[in-house]
Amino acid sequence: MKVLHVDTRPDWRGGQSQVLLLLQGLCARGHRAELLVMEGTPLAERARAAGIVLHAQPARLWPLAGPRTIRRLIATSGFEVVHAHDPHGLTAAWLARAFRMAALIAHRRIAAPLHGSPVALARYRAARRLIAVSQLVADKLIGSGMNAERVAVVYDGVRVPDLVGAEARGQARRTWGVSSDEILLGYVAHLVPGKNHEALLRALPVMLAQRPGCRLIFAGDGPRRRELEELARSLKIESRVIFAGFVEEVAQVYRALDVFLFPALEEGLGSSLLEAMAHGVPCVAAASGAVPEVIENGRDGILISVGAAGEFEAGLVRTWAEWADFRDAARLGKAARARVERSFSDSVMVESTLRVYQSAL
């Protein structure tokens, strides 16, 4: 199968990680999968390093060059499928009239209804299939007027790493200056509104009163960093919070953690949550967005309600107090890893995507 992937995001987020995993999985299975992307983006650099065939355009030329390149590549290379991974990529494919020459696939990652003019919605209606990263996202698409028969749920996938030994774990913890007798809590997410970092900071003083030897690491950067650092200072917990910024080798964070916290609100799925589970890290998450599709409360993680203001913080403190030791946490981590192996591995994601392509053709 010949598939052209289109992604225009300038940064590296969970969606771009999924694009790269999908490209690698398709190529490993003998399919021809190539990527059209803006030059100089993290995805372009990582895909090139991975040996993916790349078609890169300067960002300033994209509005015209993007659609032209898509038309040319379909005409000259015979791509059967054009898979647009973000709205701007979908716009370029739509302007190129890719849907008249190939099966157009549109990926949707956010749990929000489609908005815009009839022309803007026409991009999605032109797609032969809409891939939603969760049932929640699929329901939003259908509620926005998309044909339910064209909407398919394909959950994100992650690579399940080897279990971490004591030496590798110790090395990872030393990277962040965390000793063996400290309890390291962590959250991997961009520092942007909606990720709810502040809930963890507000809960931390009470958690420290219960267990003084705990620390919190935020891996990720973004416009809210200064605001969150100021909140940590005002709560007098700045010495217990690590603002790691963007971490190139984010597996080093997961290897170091004792507990992963996921307070995000209305997530379409949550790539970092899946990564933590794949590493066997016990997870405590907000019962919001599509997270209940990933975690079964009490079996492979802990879900905390977020219906009222402060409810997540209170639930986190209560959970923390109930963990007299970490034997139950270890059980949850083991079950979480097994859950990812069954339903959220990169292999499951690639095979599910291939089935969508085949149904579209």
Side-chain angles (χ1 to χ4, degrees), residues 13-132:
R13 296 199 180 189
Q16 286 59 58
S17 174
Q18 292 299 305
V19 175
L20 184 56
L21 282 174
L22 178 56
L23 284 161
Q24 291 173 311
L26 291 172
C27 291
R29 288 162 175 77
H31 300 285
R32 180 177 174 183
E34 301 180 11
L35 175 65
L36 174 60
V37 70
M38 291 186 186
E39 185 61 77
T41 64
L43 177 57
E45 295 169 0
R46 296 189 187 201
R48 184 179 286 116
I52 302 299
V53 177
L54 202 65
H55 307 276
Q57 296 288 340
R60 61 185 176 82
L61 301 179
W62 179 263
L64 291 176
R68 287 177 180 173
T69 303
I70 292 171
R71 281 197 300 271
R72 174 177 59 79
L73 289 172
I74 296 173
T76 59
S77 300
F79 286 107
E80 305 160 87
V81 175
V82 175
H83 188 159
H85 290 271
D86 68 297
H88 292 303
L90 178 59
T91 297
W94 183 71
L95 291 172
R97 296 296 186 262
F99 54 89
R100 294 181 177 174
M101 301 174 280
L104 178 60
I105 309 294
H107 219 110
R108 183 73 172 174
R109 310 193 60 81
I110 61 173
L114 297 176
H115 294 293
S117 66
V119 173
L121 293 176
R123 301 172 299 167
Y124 289 92
R125 292 197 175 97
R128 203 172 295 180
R129 291 292 184 275
L130 301 170
I131 293 180

Side-chain angles (χ1 to χ4, degrees), residues 56 61 68 73 76 82 108 123 191 211 217 223 227 233-234 255 257-258 279 284 330 332 338 344 354:
L61 301 179
R68 287 177 180 173
L73 289 172
T76 59
V82 175
R108 183 73 172 174
R123 301 172 299 167
L191 306 183
R211 290 188 179 88
I217 183 171
E227 174 190 347
R233 282 192 293 270
S234 70
R255 292 182 192 126
L257 292 180
D258 293 294
H279 279 82
V284 180
L332 293 173
F344 299 102
L354 275 170

Side-chain angles (χ1 to χ4, degrees), residues 248-259:
E248 183 73 26
E249 183 53 49
V250 74
Q252 285 290 89
V253 177
Y254 297 115
R255 292 182 192 126
L257 292 180
D258 293 294
V259 180

Side-chain angles (χ1 to χ4, degrees), residues 76-333:
T76 59
S77 300
F79 286 107
E80 305 160 87
V81 175
V82 175
H83 188 159
H85 290 271
D86 68 297
H88 292 303
L90 178 59
T91 297
W94 183 71
L95 291 172
R97 296 296 186 262
F99 54 89
R100 294 181 177 174
M101 301 174 280
L104 178 60
I105 309 294
H107 219 110
R108 183 73 172 174
R109 310 193 60 81
I110 61 173
L114 297 176
H115 294 293
S117 66
V119 173
L121 293 176
R123 301 172 299 167
Y124 289 92
R125 292 197 175 97
R128 203 172 295 180
R129 291 292 184 275
L130 301 170
I131 293 180
V133 298
S134 64
Q135 187 59 52
L136 174 66
V137 174
D139 292 342
K140 298 290 185 180
L141 286 168
I142 295 166
S144 299
M146 298 298 110
N147 186 338
E149 294 181 357
R150 293 189 177 189
V151 178
V153 174
V154 176
Y155 289 112
D156 283 349
V158 295
R159 285 182 176 151
V160 181
D162 294 335
L163 289 171
V164 177
E167 183 177 344
R169 174 176 164 79
Q171 181 180 350
R173 290 170 74 86
R174 287 191 294 272
T175 300
W176 313 111
V178 178
S179 65
S180 59
D181 58 348
E182 290 181 303
I183 301 169
L184 185 61
L185 317 170
Y187 183 26
V188 178
H190 279 70
L191 306 183
V192 294
K195 298 298 185 179
N196 204 23
H197 291 81
E198 62 274 14
L200 302 185
L201 293 177
R202 293 192 181 111
L204 189 58
V206 181
M207 297 168 73
L208 281 166
Q210 296 168 351
R211 290 188 179 88
C214 67
R215 297 180 70 184
L216 172 64
I217 183 171
F218 287 152
D221 219 335
R224 296 198 66 204
R225 177 163 181 164
R226 179 175 294 181
E227 174 190 347
L228 293 168
E229 287 175 335
E230 290 176 355
L231 177 58
R233 282 192 293 270
S234 70
L235 293 169
K236 302 186 187 309
I237 55 172
E238 67 271 22
S239 66
R240 309 307 296 169
V241 182
I242 303 166
F243 286 89
F246 176 76
V247 180
E248 183 73 26
E249 183 53 49
V250 74
Q252 285 290 89
V253 177
Y254 297 115
R255 292 182 192 126
L257 292 180
D258 293 294
V259 180
F260 185 79
L261 304 175
F262 194 76
L265 305 174
E266 297 304 318
E267 284 288 293
L269 190 64
S271 295
S272 66
L273 176 61
L274 294 178
E275 290 278 4
M277 293 172 69
H279 279 82
V281 182
C283 297
V284 180
S288 178
V291 171
E293 297 181 43
V294 178
I295 288 179
E296 183 178 342
N297 187 35
R299 180 175 179 177
D300 41 40
I302 299 294
L303 294 179
I304 296 176
S305 298
V306 291
E311 189 172 2
F312 177 82
E313 293 94 309
L316 177 57
V317 167
R318 191 163 54 249
T319 298
W320 190 240
E322 290 170 355
W323 277 354
D325 57 50
F326 279 85
R327 282 178 295 182
D328 189 52
R331 175 189 64 79
L332 293 173

